[in-house]
Amino acid sequence: MTDRFRRALDELGVHKGLVPPCRVDTLTVGPAAAVARVRVTRQRFYEVRIGLPTFGKQVWTAVTAAFAEDEDTTAALLDGRVPDDIERFFFAERVPLFPEGARELSLDCTCPGTRVPCDHLVAALMALAEQNDTDPFTIFALRGRDQAALLEDLGRQAGARVTAPSTDAEAPGLAEVMDDFFGWGPAGDVTRVGTRRPQAGAALGLLGEVPPLAATVDGTSVTELLRPLYRTLTGQE
């Protein structure tokens, strides 16, 4: 991956081993830019900015979802490693992860010189390339997702895939269950604690389980009025 990042630097004349007459004190990488403080002397320093366009939310959502679908890529990223073939996920979205040329970089320095890149920009570009060598998540931060944000999104999507219920087993059709639809089913199917099937011919026992009703007919409770009907229906007269 480093070679692909240095390709853009080569177009700018920034080659590995070049020693500019200045030193990078600090380098801060964030979305769309790396900002450096480059010291020339003890009292003199310049501010340098290296810009690179970020990817929008739509691209990052699609790429992160593709990461989550690939177990090897997910495992590597969550382990703090960036696979060598990581660019393929971005190519699928028709965006290059690394700058394809110097034209993608915007360069600025507070020095009075007019040459671009100046010595201060060269020093900052080399420092950025070196940081990308040691921390391959640097390019992600420039493109809009630092390591913490990327791994949080990836962990969430990968976790959702693991815990999502399987849709492979389809529910049986109505015709398949009609024979048992009105039955009690085989023993063990009733999962409700305390639920029991009354014995055959014991329908009258159900009335005894009905809570007392306040309604009456001519002073007689509804439960008692129903008993003769239950006897007739069950042949217990």
Side-chain angles (χ1 to χ4, degrees), residues 180-227:
D180 298 324
F181 187 78
F182 293 102
W184 285 87
D189 280 2
V190 180
T191 57
R192 235 176 129 163
V193 176
T195 300
R196 62 182 179 84
R197 179 182 177 182
Q199 306 234 340
L204 286 173
L206 292 174
L207 290 177
E209 297 180 11
V210 175
L213 302 176
T216 60
V217 178
D218 293 333
T220 303
S221 72
V222 173
T223 301
E224 292 303 318
L225 291 174
L226 288 174
R227 287 189 187 279

Side-chain angles (χ1 to χ4, degrees), residues 75-231:
L77 290 172
L78 293 178
D79 192 41
R81 297 176 289 109
V82 177
D84 290 336
D85 64 345
I86 198 71
E87 284 183 284
R88 65 188 174 92
F89 297 100
F90 295 88
F91 287 147
E93 297 302 316
R94 299 182 180 181
V95 292
L97 175 59
F98 293 94
E100 295 186 321
R103 66 184 182 280
E104 285 192 61
L105 300 172
S106 61
L107 306 175
D108 190 23
C109 179
T110 58
C111 74
T114 57
R115 181 169 57 90
V116 179
C118 61
D119 289 340
H120 321 110
L121 277 165
V122 170
L125 286 165
M126 293 181 65
L128 180 59
E130 290 172 2
Q131 178 165 323
N132 191 72
D133 287 349
T134 57
D135 179 9
F137 284 89
T138 297
I139 188 64
F140 295 143
L142 277 171
R143 289 298 196 181
R145 284 293 185 279
D146 62 22
Q147 183 175 0
L150 175 62
L151 297 189
E152 181 181 356
D153 290 344
L154 177 59
R156 185 183 306 114
Q157 293 206 34
R161 290 185 69 251
V162 170
T163 58
S166 174
T167 57
D168 293 338
E170 296 183 358
L174 181 60
E176 300 176 48
V177 298
M178 280 303 294
D179 290 341
D180 298 324
F181 187 78
F182 293 102
W184 285 87
D189 280 2
V190 180
T191 57
R192 235 176 129 163
V193 176
T195 300
R196 62 182 179 84
R197 179 182 177 182
Q199 306 234 340
L204 286 173
L206 292 174
L207 290 177
E209 297 180 11
V210 175
L213 302 176
T216 60
V217 178
D218 293 333
T220 303
S221 72
V222 173
T223 301
E224 292 303 318
L225 291 174
L226 288 174
R227 287 189 187 279
L229 176 60
Y230 269 56
R231 292 192 184 95

Side-chain angles (χ1 to χ4, degrees), residues 200-204 230-237:
L204 286 173
Y230 269 56
R231 292 192 184 95
T232 301
L233 292 174
T234 58
Q236 296 183 51
E237 292 185 329

